[in-house]
Amino acid sequence: MAQPERGAGGGTVVGWKLDPRERAELLARFPPRWPDTVADHVTLRSGTGPGTPLPSEEAGEVVGWTDDGEGLQALVVAIGGGTARADGGTYHITWSLDRGAGRKPVESNRVLAERGWHRLEKPIPVRLRPARF
């Protein structure tokens, strides 16, 4: 059995995986700008242990986007009516990045905090599967 990925601070990540069909639709709507596409999950908490409960929400809305022009693109997601995570971050999907330039998915948090994001004219509903990864 494959082991879950480790969060940036150790432990695993708890959050949501995107529905594969909706992921494909979003990729067609928002073409990845950078060479490495992630586009598969929304983080709730990283560095969690095996006893950390999975979230109960199973739906969200893509409400915005950011691209720092330097190798990182992310979509902003509203869950339970808001985009703010309890840890002060923003719910998001790291969409694409340039790993060759040293970019890492965890940098989406900093880019969103420092540069903000652009709101979509109309939110896009998405199904989310609670997961540990």
Side-chain angles (χ1 to χ4, degrees):
M1 179 184 292
Q3 294 295 314
E5 290 179 27
R6 297 288 174 191
T12 59
V13 175
V14 168
W16 300 269
K17 288 288 192 170
L18 291 179
D19 174 89
R21 201 169 33 244
E22 289 181 356
R23 178 183 186 267
E25 291 169 6
L26 287 169
L27 284 165
R29 186 166 181 171
F30 300 99
R33 179 166 179 209
W34 304 103
D36 302 295
T37 303
V38 180
D40 68 350
H41 73 274
V42 178
T43 297
L44 175 60
R45 280 191 235 50
S46 61
T48 64
T52 302
L54 296 179
S56 59
E57 297 90 347
E58 295 185 0
E61 295 179 315
V62 175
V63 295
W65 62 274
T66 192
D67 186 327
D68 69 0
E70 299 172 7
L72 192 129
Q73 175 188 27
L75 300 183
V76 176
V77 179
I79 298 174
T83 59
R85 293 190 321 213
D87 66 1
T90 301
Y91 290 122
H92 66 275
I93 304 165
T94 299
W95 205 242
S96 70
L97 65 153
D98 188 348
R99 291 183 195 271
R103 301 308 296 268
K104 297 178 182 177
V106 70
E107 293 178 58
S108 295
N109 295 302
R110 180 183 51 77
V111 170
L112 286 161
E114 291 176 1
R115 297 183 181 237
W117 51 279
H118 306 277
R119 186 169 292 280
L120 295 177
E121 189 172 309
K122 182 177 177 184
I124 303 166
V126 290
R127 287 181 293 239
L128 300 170
R129 182 177 51 85
R132 183 179 326 278
F133 42 98

